[in-house]
């Protein structure tokens, strides 16, 4: 009998520790995920602040410093902030190596912690760009945007059609590239990063200028057109055929969403102010505003548009309220927390290793990249001359403002890579084009507007 009890007890002790140990392991992993996220945020904020301050010292837009800071801590240099979608593993992350030493993680746990940490940072970056576009919408004047609406539409259409046609045809005729990869690369040239351009315009104090409004309006339309182009080429890559019904759906839904949001906003504003006035606790203004912005972003995402389009539309709507200035001030601290995460991660994902000509497979990519860069810059700069009946407008600034591809271009490259359409040289060429256009645009935009500032100063001196 005693032997039976002993045997039963031994059997129980062999069974019970397994779920207990598993639970303990999961709890330890969850703790390490939080630890890794906190450490990642420390690195991101240090990189963004140091980069921004150095850029400001050299009289450059801080956003450029944040992007460069991201490159330095990312896959191109220190490998502190790396992501699985760039092909990195836990063993490639210096932060994960540090955490393995501190927490004693085994390789399997390290991979799961790395994947979870990367996902959290990516989500925070997405929230950052949503808040950025909401803030830009608040700073934009809807009445001024409406005044330049037709001009912005022409700029956007030219900025999509010219690079797409020149890039696609050039790759097929000059480099003998098959049609589908050429179309995909041409589509990547159509993108415009509204987040980066708008941030630079805001920092330069030109967001509400006529040039700034045309650039922002064109970038919004460009984003809608980019979504449609991306849907078309992604469908083409998967099936070899274009789903025309899906294209029509995207065009109609994007147009109805943006115009409908602006129209309904006129009736929503009074209700929003009434709700904010009745709330008595902290955040009585900013919390309802964020609920509206996130709801608009959710709706946009749910109908297969970009969430940032919904956030921008929400900002435009609330810009018409009587409490706009107060709301602006309350959104700024939130943007200061989340937006740097977005810009640093964009830089961190950019692999400058594709610029190394010593690697044989990179050389073909560099030649293709040189072609794409020329098309990318010229194809956008000429959009400034699509503006008519505006004799005093700075056309060069408008064209330069449309140059940066930023995160939008990286999305095209990522989808093309995942679908297997892009060869390694072509993928490298697109990434190089995205990097250079993103980094060139901020200083070029400052230079383009500098002529306006000097002309204004000379006019003021002449009057005095």
């Amino acid at each position: 009998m005693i032997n039976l009890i002993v045997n039963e007890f031994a059997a129980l002790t062999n069974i019970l520790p397994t779920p207990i140990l598993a639970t303990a392991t999961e709890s330890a992993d969850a703790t390490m995920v939080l630890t890794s996220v906190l450490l990642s945020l420390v690195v991101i904020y240090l990189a963004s602040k140091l980069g921004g301050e150095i850029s400001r010292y050299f009289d450059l837009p801080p956003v450029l410093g944040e992007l460069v800071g991201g490159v330095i801590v990312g896959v191109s240099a220190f490998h502190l902030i790396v992501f699985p979608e760039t092909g990195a593993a836990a063993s490639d992350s210096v932060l994960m190596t540090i955490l393995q030493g501190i927490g004693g993680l085994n390789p399997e746990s390290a991979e799961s912690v790395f994947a979870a940490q990367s996902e959290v940072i990516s989500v925070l970056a997405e929230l950052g760009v949503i808040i950025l576009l909401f803030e830009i919408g608040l700073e934009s004047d809807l009445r001024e945007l409406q005044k330049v609406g037709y001009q912005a539409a022409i700029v956007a259409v030219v900025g999509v059609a010219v690079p797409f046609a020149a890039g696609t045809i050039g790759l097929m005729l000059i480099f003998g590239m098959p049609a589908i990869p050429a179309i995909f690369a041409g589509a990547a040239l159509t993108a415009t990063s509204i987040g980066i351009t708008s941030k630079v315009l805001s920092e330069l104090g030109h967001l509400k200028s006529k040039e700034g409004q045309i650039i922002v309006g064109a970038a919004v339309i460009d984003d809608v057109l980019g979504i449609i182009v991306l849907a078309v080429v992604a469908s083409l890559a998967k099936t070899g055929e274009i789903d025309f019904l899906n294209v029509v759906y995207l065009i109609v839904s994007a147009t109805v969403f943006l115009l409908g949001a602006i129209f309904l906003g006129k009736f929503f504003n009074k209700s929003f102010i009434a709700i904010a006035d009745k709330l008595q606790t902290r955040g009585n203004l900013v919390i309802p505003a964020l609920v509206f912005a996130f709801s608009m972003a959710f709706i946009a995402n749910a109908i297969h548009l970009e969430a940032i389009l919904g956030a921008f539309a929400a900002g435009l709507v609330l810009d018409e309220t009587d409490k706009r200035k107060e709301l602006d001030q309350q959104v700024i601290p939130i943007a200061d927390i989340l937006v740097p995460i977005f810009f640093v991660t964009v830089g961190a994902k950019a692999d400058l290793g594709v610029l190394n000509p010593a690697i044989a497979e990179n050389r073909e990519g560099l030649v293709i990249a040189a072609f794409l860069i020329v098309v990318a810059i010229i194809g956008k700069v000429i959009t400034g001359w699509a503006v008519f009946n505006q004799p005093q407008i700075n056309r060069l600034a408008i064209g330069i403002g449309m140059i940066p591809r930023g995160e939008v271009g990286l999305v095209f490259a990522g989808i093309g890579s995942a679908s297997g359409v892009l060869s390694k040289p072509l993928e490298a060429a697109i990434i190089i084009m995205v990097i250079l256009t993103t980094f060139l645009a901020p200083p070029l935009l400052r230079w383009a507007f500098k002529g306006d500032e000097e002309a204004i100063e000379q006019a003021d001196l002449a009057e005095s």
Side-chain angles (χ1 to χ4, degrees):
M1 184 68 180
I2 293 174
N3 288 337
L4 180 61
I5 293 171
V6 169
N7 290 336
E8 289 294 330
F9 181 76
L12 283 172
T13 56
N14 285 333
I15 295 170
L16 289 176
T18 303
I20 294 172
L21 287 174
T23 304
T25 302
E26 289 172 4
S27 177
D29 285 354
T31 302
M32 292 307 293
V33 169
L34 177 59
T35 304
S36 64
V37 168
L38 293 174
L39 190 55
S40 297
L41 290 176
V42 169
V43 173
I44 287 170
Y45 285 132
L46 285 174
S48 69
K49 185 49 63 180
L50 288 173
E53 291 297 323
I54 292 170
S55 285
R56 177 64 73 187
Y57 178 79
F58 288 104
D59 201 30
L60 293 169
V63 63
L64 184 60
E66 292 178 0
L67 287 168
V68 173
V71 170
I72 291 171
V73 300
V75 67
S76 297
F78 292 158
H79 287 257
L80 291 166
I81 306 296
V82 293
F83 296 88
E85 57 262 38
T86 63
S91 57
D92 299 314
S93 170
V94 173
L95 289 189
M96 292 310 303
T97 303
I98 293 170
L99 290 174
Q100 280 182 281
I102 295 172
L105 287 175
N106 57 49
E108 292 78 14
S109 295
E111 285 294 340
S112 64
V113 170
F114 173 62
Q117 169 253 332
S118 300
E119 187 67 28
V120 171
I121 296 299
S122 295
V123 169
L124 290 175
E126 287 295 318
L127 284 175
V129 74
I130 287 171
I131 292 294
L132 173 61
L133 267 294
F134 177 56
E135 183 184 27
I136 295 302
L138 284 173
E139 292 179 9
S140 301
D141 191 325
L142 185 56
R143 287 180 291 272
E144 291 299 319
L145 272 177
Q146 288 171 340
K147 287 179 185 177
V148 300
Y150 70 98
Q151 301 279 19
I154 294 169
V155 169
V157 171
V158 171
V160 168
V162 173
F164 178 73
T168 303
I169 295 170
L171 288 172
M172 292 175 69
L173 294 181
I174 299 172
F175 297 95
M177 196 169 289
I180 292 180
I183 290 171
F184 217 109
L189 292 168
T190 66
T192 295
S193 174
I194 182 175
I196 291 170
T197 298
S198 299
K199 183 69 172 175
V200 174
L201 286 169
S202 180
E203 289 169 353
L204 295 177
H206 283 278
L207 184 62
K208 292 191 176 182
S209 67
K210 187 162 287 187
E211 291 89 352
Q213 292 296 296
I214 289 176
I215 292 169
V216 171
V220 172
I221 298 168
D222 208 47
D223 191 51
V224 174
L225 294 174
I227 294 164
I228 296 165
V229 171
L230 181 60
V232 171
V233 296
S235 173
L236 186 64
K238 289 177 183 175
T239 64
E241 298 176 354
I242 297 174
D243 186 347
F244 287 102
L245 288 177
N246 189 42
V247 174
V248 172
Y249 166 77
L250 286 169
I251 294 171
V252 172
S253 60
T255 305
V256 170
F257 176 80
L258 200 57
L259 296 179
I262 293 170
F263 175 75
L264 293 175
K266 296 178 180 179
F267 304 98
F268 172 77
N269 285 336
K270 292 181 180 178
S271 301
F272 175 80
I273 294 298
I275 292 169
D277 286 340
K278 287 182 179 179
L279 298 175
Q280 300 299 315
T281 54
R282 277 176 49 176
N284 63 311
L285 181 62
V286 72
I287 296 300
L290 289 177
V291 168
F292 178 58
F294 290 154
S295 297
M296 292 288 284
F298 163 74
I299 293 168
N301 219 30
I303 60 175
H304 305 293
L305 300 175
E306 289 291 330
I308 56 176
L309 191 64
F312 180 79
L316 284 179
V317 169
L318 296 183
D319 177 64
E320 299 295 299
T321 66
D322 296 333
K323 293 182 180 287
R324 178 184 61 80
K325 291 184 179 179
E326 186 181 346
L327 184 57
D328 276 345
Q329 293 302 313
Q330 293 187 20
V331 170
I332 287 172
I334 300 171
D336 288 343
I337 293 170
L338 291 173
V339 174
I341 302 174
F342 164 67
F343 286 113
V344 171
T345 54
V346 169
K349 290 177 180 179
D351 185 5
L352 296 187
V354 297
L355 293 169
N356 184 5
I359 301 174
E361 65 181 12
N362 285 350
R363 292 169 195 162
E364 183 185 353
L366 286 168
V367 175
I368 297 173
F371 169 76
L372 292 182
I373 289 164
V374 171
V375 173
I377 293 174
I378 294 175
K380 293 292 186 179
V381 168
I382 64 171
T383 60
W385 280 264
V387 178
F388 56 91
N389 293 333
Q390 301 286 341
Q392 301 300 320
I393 205 157
N394 190 333
R395 288 177 166 79
L396 181 60
I398 291 172
I400 290 172
M402 299 294 291
I403 287 176
R405 268 58 177 189
E407 75 289 351
V408 185
L410 292 175
V411 168
F412 274 89
I415 292 175
S417 176
S419 66
V421 169
L422 303 178
S423 64
K424 283 292 182 182
L426 184 57
E427 183 183 351
I430 293 174
I431 292 172
I432 293 169
M433 179 273 296
V434 170
I435 292 169
L436 287 184
T437 55
T438 300
F439 287 142
L440 280 175
L444 286 177
L445 199 55
R446 176 177 284 275
W447 169 75
F449 277 119
K450 198 168 185 178
D452 284 355
E453 293 167 5
E454 289 174 354
I456 291 169
E457 288 175 6
Q458 289 175 1
D460 290 341
L461 287 173
E463 288 177 5
S464 60

